[in-house]
Amino acid sequence: MKTTGKLFLALFAAAVLGSTLTVVANNYYTQQNNIDKNFIRTSGRVPSSNTDFTVAAENTINCVVSIKTFATARQQYQGNRYFDPFEFFFGPGYGNNTPRRQQQQPKEEKLQPLGLGSGVIISSDGYIVTNNHVIKGGEKLEVTLNNNEKYVAKVIGSDENTDLALLKIDAKNLNAITFGSSDDLKVGEWVLAVGNPFGFTSTVTAGIVSAKARNIGEATSQRANSIDSFIQTDAAVNQGNSGGALVNINGELVGINTAIYSQTGNYAGYSFAIPSSTVSKVVKDLKEYGSVQRAVLGISYQPLNAELAKEKNITATTEGLYVASVSDRSAAMQAGIQEGDVITKINDATVKSSGQIMEQMNKLRPGDKVKITYIRDNKTHTATATLRNDQGSTKLTKSSSVSSLGCGFLAIDDEKKKELQIKNGVEVVGLKAGKFRNAGIKEGFIITEINNTPVSSRDDVENIYNSIMSSSDKRKVMIVFGYHPDGTEDVYAVKLAD
């Protein structure tokens, strides 16, 4: 009995001693942790372990549609073609190839399939956003909902630079997607790509955000005036996904899937989406004005790095955009920005690459004011600039059409060709107030070339006009060459920009 009592007391003492040591050790650890809190910081946030994508998928699939484009055989024919990354990525019918020389084809009025892509319903009354390259060249657009209902869509507006288009179908009470914030996306965050790859409807793939504000122009030979800021993900995207939705874990739209990086034309690990912040702004512009109101800062620049900083004796930073030149009558010149400055922020958002500054500029319109943070003589300064359009004006503009030229165009007959000894041309008819009259062109003038391109029909004139107006060149001018009715040659410069 005594032995048992002594054993109990020994065990009790050991337990007390162990508890005391535990408390002392814990207090010591806590004190040390407080002392070292500036050395190693740990987050109190518990990472989400939710990888159940069912809710996000269910919230999205009924908002994503299939888009089929149809065209007559003569519209589909493209003649000699040049390499286009979108066609390489998504297959025939998805590119932006234009003929180097139009060749005549037999007229066939029967519509034939041209391409297949995806779109996203953004309002319950039938507005749909998709890629411009999905609908380009289509004479008829057929939209199929997830419940297999079909509608014919009309184009409200499109923008080649951002590769976005706004469509409308005559329907009500549709499932419309909720816009999320692409600005709040973080690298490593889960996202879903929803679309119709290879014609398989309502397909959902998952991945993470691999990078933001990604510039893929150099890697894909993308057009110089195109969007330069993409969300990069590793969600699988293939032919037919183009124009579909990229959504976050809540099923909110954070991007429109647009391109993949591939040497085969099929998915090879990376896909790219236009950020929802850009999509939202472009859609509003197309709906309200018919064209995108594009703001221009008016600088040429290159990303700053350690080598360039050393060369220019810049010690305050090694990141930012080194201003190589400032355009006349630009927002940057008005704000006092000079060659040699290093721009580090636009509206408090860090900019150290072309993708990042484009991401900020794509949200803005002419007339908007922005705060520019820059470094000059190794000191930080700020300035406010009022953004302008590519014509140096702050005004917003409605979309224009070839009708602004103020005349019609009549194809000339063989007798007139023989009389003037020419192979092609169109006659200016019905001349009224407009850009042609302002340039001095008279009724009956016969146009044979515009900007060194032969013209034989009104469509030729319209195609050249649209090409000029959609270009990034701020000098939007038609150089019109032709003959007066008496056979004398003449040339006119027609300014298209207001």
Side-chain angles (χ1 to χ4, degrees):
M1 188 69 176
K2 290 182 179 180
T3 303
T4 303
K6 290 180 179 179
L7 180 59
F8 174 78
L9 290 174
L11 291 174
F12 178 76
V16 171
L17 178 60
S19 299
T20 301
L21 290 173
T22 299
V23 171
V24 171
N26 184 65
N27 289 339
Y28 176 79
Y29 172 78
T30 301
Q31 292 173 358
Q32 287 301 109
N33 189 53
N34 289 335
I35 293 171
D36 295 338
K37 64 182 180 180
N38 292 323
F39 180 64
I40 299 177
R41 300 179 63 88
T42 58
S43 172
R45 177 186 174 191
V46 179
S48 173
S49 59
N50 178 25
T51 54
D52 183 358
F53 304 137
T54 57
V55 173
E58 288 171 0
N59 289 344
T60 308
I61 56 174
N62 290 319
C63 304
V64 176
V65 302
S66 172
I67 300 175
K68 290 183 180 179
T69 58
F70 298 85
T72 56
R74 69 180 189 280
Q75 288 294 102
Q76 294 186 55
Y77 184 77
Q78 296 292 312
N80 295 327
R81 304 166 68 89
Y82 63 90
F83 175 80
D84 187 284
F86 287 111
E87 180 166 273
F88 182 70
F89 292 148
F90 294 98
Y94 291 93
N96 186 43
N97 282 316
T98 53
R100 294 191 177 186
R101 178 177 296 175
Q102 187 69 38
Q103 299 185 18
Q104 298 297 320
Q105 291 292 300
K107 184 176 181 180
E108 294 184 35
E109 294 299 334
K110 186 177 179 180
L111 292 174
Q112 298 179 4
L114 178 64
L116 175 66
S118 302
V120 182
I121 301 171
I122 59 173
S123 69
S124 61
D125 58 347
Y127 283 96
I128 296 169
V129 65
T130 185
N131 285 138
N132 176 65
H133 73 264
V134 168
I135 58 98
K136 189 175 179 66
E139 297 177 64
K140 176 185 175 182
L141 305 178
E142 182 182 87
V143 170
T144 304
L145 306 186
N146 193 45
N147 63 5
N148 292 322
E149 291 183 7
K150 296 182 186 295
Y151 297 87
V152 174
K154 64 178 180 180
V155 179
I156 301 301
S158 62
D159 182 60
E160 185 175 351
N161 289 355
T162 55
D163 194 29
L164 290 171
L166 181 64
L167 313 181
K168 179 73 167 65
I169 60 175
D170 187 12
K172 296 181 179 179
N173 302 318
L174 299 177
N175 292 290
I177 203 158
T178 300
F179 271 71
S181 174
S182 55
D183 293 342
D184 293 339
L185 269 183
K186 298 188 182 302
V187 174
E189 184 174 339
W190 282 105
V191 285
L192 305 181
V194 185
N196 306 285
F198 305 115
F200 297 123
T201 59
S202 305
T203 297
V204 181
T205 56
I208 63 169
V209 176
S210 305
K212 293 180 63 179
R214 177 67 78 197
N215 173 7
I216 66 172
E218 293 181 0
T220 62
S221 301
Q222 190 138 309
R223 293 179 298 276
N225 60 344
S226 62
I227 182 175
D228 202 19
S229 179
F230 289 86
I231 300 168
Q232 179 183 322
T233 81
D234 63 355
V237 168
N238 278 293
Q239 297 178 31
N241 270 116
S242 194
L246 184 74
V247 300
N248 60 21
I249 198 67
N250 298 318
E252 299 166 335
L253 185 73
V254 293
I256 294 295
N257 297 313
T258 297
I260 61 176
Y261 184 68
S262 173
Q263 295 180 335
T264 64
N266 293 329
Y267 175 72
Y270 296 108
S271 56
F272 301 91
I274 302 168
S276 61
S277 59
T278 299
V279 176
S280 177
K281 189 263 185 182
V282 169
V283 163
K284 289 177 182 177
D285 282 355
L286 292 178
K287 189 175 181 181
E288 186 172 354
Y289 304 102
S291 62
V292 177
Q293 306 299 309
R294 188 161 283 108
V296 178
L297 189 57
I299 61 171
S300 63
Y301 57 84
Q302 64 184 108
L304 186 69
N305 55 33
E307 291 76 17
L308 181 59
K310 183 177 180 180
E311 177 188 338
K312 301 298 182 180
N313 196 29
I314 299 170
T315 58
T317 184
T318 56
E319 293 183 327
L321 300 176
Y322 180 82
V323 178
S325 65
V326 179
S327 301
D328 292 343
R329 301 178 61 216
S330 66
M333 177 172 283
Q334 171 261 325
I337 302 299
Q338 300 177 8
E339 180 181 337
D341 291 346
V342 178
I343 296 177
T344 57
K345 292 182 180 180
I346 298 289
N347 282 345
D348 296 325
T350 299
V351 290
K352 53 186 179 182
S353 68
S354 60
Q356 288 177 327
I357 192 171
M358 285 298 297
E359 187 173 28
Q360 298 307 312
M361 296 301 296
N362 283 332
K363 305 173 188 175
L364 302 168
R365 294 188 175 109
D368 288 347
K369 293 183 182 298
V370 295
K371 184 175 78 170
I372 304 172
T373 303
Y374 64 97
I375 292 173
R376 179 185 297 166
D377 298 328
N378 292 312
K379 296 179 180 179
T380 300
H381 305 268
T382 61
T384 299
T386 302
L387 297 176
R388 305 180 183 186
N389 59 30
D390 58 6
Q391 299 301 307
S393 169
T394 59
K395 69 178 182 179
L396 303 178
T397 58
K398 294 280 187 178
S399 64
S400 62
S401 68
V402 71
S403 61
S404 67
L405 299 179
C407 64
F409 302 95
L410 182 67
I412 61 175
D413 56 25
D414 291 338
E415 183 178 346
K416 178 64 72 172
K417 292 178 186 176
K418 184 177 181 180
E419 177 185 341
L420 295 175
Q421 299 182 37
I422 57 177
K423 297 179 180 179
N424 59 276
V426 293
E427 182 179 353
V428 174
V429 296
L431 186 67
K432 57 183 180 181
K435 299 183 186 302
F436 265 28
R437 177 181 286 181
N438 293 342
I441 297 177
K442 305 293 185 182
E443 178 88 13
F445 185 71
I446 295 173
I447 301 171
T448 57
E449 291 183 7
I450 298 177
N451 289 12
N452 297 320
T453 301
V455 294
S456 300
S457 67
R458 183 187 186 280
D459 286 346
D460 290 342
V461 178
E462 184 171 9
N463 289 338
I464 295 171
Y465 176 91
N466 290 337
S467 177
I468 295 171
M469 294 304 292
S470 64
S471 73
S472 59
D473 188 352
K474 67 179 182 179
R475 296 181 178 86
K476 301 184 187 302
V477 178
M478 272 186 169
I479 304 300
V480 178
F481 179 84
Y483 298 87
H484 293 285
D486 63 2
T488 57
E489 293 182 348
D490 217 335
V491 61
Y492 297 92
V494 182
K495 184 180 179 182
L496 302 184
D498 294 328

